[in-house]
Amino acid sequence: MGDTDICNMWKSHFDSLYNFVPDSGVKESVYDMIDKLDDKMGWNVIVNDVHNILATQKINRSPGPNGVCMEVFMYCGLKLLLHLSLFFICCLRHSYLPSAFMDTEFVPLLKNKTGDIADVNNYRAIGISNAESKLLEIVILQRIQSSRNDVDCYQFCFKKNHSTGLCAHVVKQTVDYYITGGSHVFLCFVDFTKAFDKVNYWKLFRMLLDNNLDVYCIKMLVFWYSNQLARVRWCNSISSFDVSNGTKQGVYCHHTYFRIIFVM
């Protein structure tokens, strides 16, 4: 089996995985809610916003499908940052993104090296986005975070200075406490197989609308997700496919606005 055959096999696998969940009529309800909302844009993206975000970025990360590394923006002049901020404002105001901006490249990465390397379920689909789209994601994330302060104190994942590792530590401490006291401990685990891949993102959009987040933001995200086209790369072979469910998990970033939903 050649590289092209393997690439087409991955395309078939991801195509079925990311077009598995029906919208169940939620898509229409999201558009109805958007039509009824006040679409006055309440914020702008300024050069300083982009500059501050770039100051937090790390070097030597994988470039996106267009081959442009984050360092290009990190070490550029203010004129480029000005154009970038104006571009982001236009995207938000018109709820539109160029197709090249939304490019995502899926790279299958082995999860368990001691497992069956011939099993497609033993691979994680890593979505690599363009550097400029990552910047816009962070702009949106910061805007959403600044408007939300009711994060549950028991939330561990997708929360600053917290992790699922910390959650596991709390569970172990709780178990040790009861065992030391002579009690029995019973645990129940739920395995959400491919949870992110099978998310109905229309339901998440509705949750964002219910939480009164900026409608311009949500309209652009709706356009972004409903018009996304991904491709899978295997060596030098590439195959494209549509995506109608799931959120992205990436080496550099996972689509950040949906992370907020799991925190709220």
Side-chain angles (χ1 to χ4, degrees):
M1 182 179 287
D3 292 341
T4 301
D5 296 324
I6 296 175
C7 187
N8 288 331
M9 180 272 294
W10 280 117
K11 174 202 170 182
S12 177
H13 170 68
F14 291 137
D15 188 31
S16 61
L17 177 62
Y18 292 107
N19 294 282
F20 174 78
V21 180
D23 67 74
S24 303
V26 185
K27 177 179 178 180
E28 184 176 349
S29 69
V30 168
Y31 281 115
D32 288 340
M33 291 176 70
I34 289 175
D35 290 339
K36 296 176 182 176
L37 292 174
D38 180 12
D39 60 355
K40 182 179 179 181
M41 187 170 174
W43 61 290
N44 283 316
V45 182
I46 61 175
V47 174
N48 199 46
D49 293 334
V50 181
H51 181 269
N52 290 338
I53 290 170
L54 285 168
T56 66
Q57 302 307 298
K58 298 180 180 179
I59 62 174
N60 299 323
R61 296 298 185 96
S62 299
N66 62 8
V68 178
C69 297
M70 185 61 73
E71 287 87 337
V72 171
F73 301 102
M74 293 172 65
Y75 303 124
C76 73
L78 289 177
K79 286 186 178 180
L80 180 56
L81 297 187
L82 174 61
H83 287 291
L84 202 57
S85 62
L86 290 173
F87 170 70
F88 289 163
I89 292 173
C90 289
C91 291
L92 286 162
R93 287 189 182 277
H94 298 284
S95 307
Y96 176 82
L97 287 169
S99 57
F101 185 91
M102 298 184 289
D103 272 356
T104 300
E105 193 169 85
F106 279 62
V107 179
L109 290 185
L110 187 66
K111 291 192 287 188
N112 182 7
K113 295 182 180 180
T114 61
D116 184 3
I117 62 174
D119 182 8
V120 293
N121 294 310
N122 192 26
Y123 288 80
R124 179 179 292 107
I126 300 299
I128 302 176
S129 302
N130 291 319
E132 56 272 25
S133 69
K134 297 166 188 173
L135 293 176
L136 180 56
E137 290 171 0
I138 301 174
V139 167
I140 297 171
L141 175 62
Q142 290 184 346
R143 173 62 185 176
I144 295 175
Q145 283 179 325
S146 65
S147 63
R148 306 296 303 180
N149 56 12
D150 55 348
V151 177
D152 194 296
C153 62
Y154 296 107
Q155 174 74 35
F156 288 94
C157 61
F158 310 123
K159 183 178 177 182
K160 189 175 182 180
N161 299 324
H162 290 71
S163 68
T164 52
L166 179 60
C167 181
H169 177 68
V170 172
V171 172
K172 290 179 180 179
Q173 280 191 319
T174 305
V175 171
D176 289 342
Y177 173 81
Y178 284 104
I179 290 178
T180 303
S183 298
H184 294 291
V185 178
F186 300 94
L187 298 177
C188 178
F189 295 93
V190 179
D191 180 14
F192 293 104
T193 304
K194 298 188 180 298
F196 282 105
D197 297 330
K198 295 180 180 179
V199 165
N200 183 341
Y201 50 73
W202 292 104
K203 292 184 178 181
L204 301 184
F205 287 137
R206 191 165 63 184
M207 291 175 68
L208 289 173
L209 288 167
D210 288 338
N211 281 277
N212 298 318
L213 296 177
D214 193 288
V215 66
Y216 271 88
C217 237
I218 300 172
K219 286 169 66 176
M220 193 195 67
L221 298 181
V222 166
F223 179 87
W224 197 337
Y225 259 70
S226 57
N227 289 278
Q228 59 185 329
L229 179 68
R231 60 176 183 251
V232 60
R233 173 168 54 88
W234 186 268
C235 296
N236 294 321
S237 297
I238 294 176
S239 291
S240 301
F241 59 96
D242 295 318
V243 178
S244 63
N245 60 256
T247 60
K248 301 174 186 175
Q249 302 174 70
V251 173
Y252 189 94
C253 102
H254 160 358
H255 263 212
T256 47
Y257 27 88
F258 286 145
R259 289 160 46 185
I260 298 299
I261 297 175
F262 295 105
V263 173
M264 291 192 296

